Amino acid sequence: MRLAINWFGLACGIMTIAMVIVTLFYPWWQLRVGDNLVTANVSLLNTNFKVLGTVFTVPLIYAVNVTCTLMFLLVGVTMLVYSIFPSKPYSKQLLDFAYKKPLFMLIGFVFVLFVFTLLVQVVVRFNIPFVGSVTSTFNLPFTQRATVSVVISAEFYWPFWLAVAVAVLCIAARVYHRRFATTKLGFAHVPPPPPPVELGAQ
Amino acid sequence: MDKVRLVLAVVTMAITVSPIAGVLLIYRDNLLGLVFPDELRNIINEGIPSSEINEGISFSDTLGNISLIDSSYDPASRTVVLTFKVTNPFDFAISVSAFSADVHCAAHNMRMGYITLGNEVQIEAGATSTVTILGRWTEAAVKHFETFHAGERSIDVELTGLNLTVNGVTIQSTENIRVPSFPVS
């Protein structure tokens, strides 16, 4: 008997779990001020800051990161279970639960990041790039006769694109699911075997 | 089938609420700490010079322990080479890639020349390294030394047009920075 598997879902589940592990070590987006003066490593799963050699996290952001980590793990496991049993009665519920979440979380991440960089520029009047490098110039707080110029650069790292790939695979798994929805047994349209020919019937 | 949906909804709720509730519980007596951690407060309190430091700011206050360990003067090129021993007091490495300033005699307000960084320096956290500063005096400055500071090996100077690049941050100052006992020969 041929096993019916949603291969997109399987790849999505495996990549989601791999992405969670990778993101614990590498950021999705990094902001650097000067030469290692300030570094912000940002992702939905792990965000930390390094300021003047001191590494720290913001507790509220940490809580959000834990939530997102658990959510991505749940999505990964759900997609794995679904993709191995795509024709079971409960499979549609599993897929509907999991397939949209990575995309929505990714859109939310990019939106919040974009709004944050915009807000800093508008409110604090400090030029922070969303992507690329800029030179920000400001006066020192304790004297108006000295100006400080610093190069600030920001870029997305490959784990972010891994997350994008996960979101795309989730959507692909949903599209591929139609194949199973139209065949109750989980097989592709296979024509029924021809009736046996009785020898000597003439 | 509805049970599957229910279980997923409950797990989602637990995943969403628990971490937030956890940190709220931990920081219930210090809600500001939720967004403003103690580490950041320590950096602001200890790592950045306060606004009270304005007048009379000295190199030793800003750059840690600096001591002159050697100086030499070449009369032919009117160049002085100063070697400093600098200790990095911070918890992070500092790299000085550029330093230049005009030097004025503090007593007579006369431009004497300029100083520049001899070599790029990288000093690890808490480590000590040597920094070479090159000074080149004008002919007028040499005459000024001979006339007003004969026999002195160091004089009070004021640095103007300071340009300093540390860890990728460039500071340009139009403020006069007084440096006492600056070696000139």
Side-chain angles (χ1 to χ4, degrees), chain A residues 65-151:
Chain A
N65 286 159
V66 171
T67 294
C68 291
T69 303
L70 294 174
M71 194 62 78
F72 268 111
L73 282 175
L74 184 63
V75 165
V77 171
T78 305
M79 286 304 282
L80 281 178
V81 173
Y82 153 75
S83 58
I84 294 168
F85 307 108
S87 303
K88 296 285 184 186
Y90 53 80
S91 63
K92 185 70 165 54
Q93 271 77 34
L94 295 177
L95 181 65
D96 285 347
F97 169 81
Y99 88 94
K100 281 180 287 191
K101 282 190 170 53
L103 182 65
F104 287 165
M105 289 165 82
L106 206 62
I107 291 170
F109 172 76
V110 173
F111 179 76
V112 168
L113 205 60
F114 183 73
V115 168
F116 169 75
T117 54
L118 213 62
L119 271 179
V120 170
Q121 289 178 42
V122 171
V123 177
V124 191
R125 297 187 183 281
F126 196 76
N127 212 359
I128 285 185
F130 183 60
V131 176
S133 294
V134 294
T135 301
S136 280
T137 303
F138 56 93
N139 289 324
L140 278 179
F142 50 86
T143 171
Q144 293 300 308
R145 297 177 67 184
T147 55
V148 175
S149 304
V150 59
V151 175

Side-chain angles (χ1 to χ4, degrees), chain A residues 175-189:
Chain A
V175 173
Y176 192 67
H177 178 75
R178 288 175 190 159
R179 175 191 174 99
F180 302 99
T182 51
T183 58
K184 293 282 184 190
L185 292 174
F187 294 105
H189 293 287

Side-chain angles (χ1 to χ4, degrees), chain B residues 102-177:
Chain B
D102 278 344
V103 182
H104 291 251
C105 171
H108 305 96
N109 194 27
M110 181 200 171
R111 185 179 180 275
M112 294 169 16
Y114 63 88
I115 53 172
T116 57
L117 184 70
N119 57 319
E120 287 193 17
V121 188
Q122 166 98 19
I123 312 173
E124 296 302 319
T128 300
S129 184
T130 54
V131 178
T132 305
I133 301 288
L134 305 175
R136 187 173 167 82
W137 309 139
T138 61
E139 282 186 34
V142 175
K143 287 176 184 168
H144 178 81
F145 291 141
E146 290 168 355
T147 308
F148 295 98
H149 304 281
E152 294 181 42
R153 290 188 59 82
S154 63
I155 62 171
D156 292 356
V157 298
E158 282 192 347
L159 304 181
T160 62
L162 178 79
N163 193 329
L164 173 68
T165 303
V166 181
N167 286 38
V169 178
T170 300
I171 301 167
Q172 290 178 308
S173 173
T174 55
E175 204 159 1
N176 292 357
I177 299 170

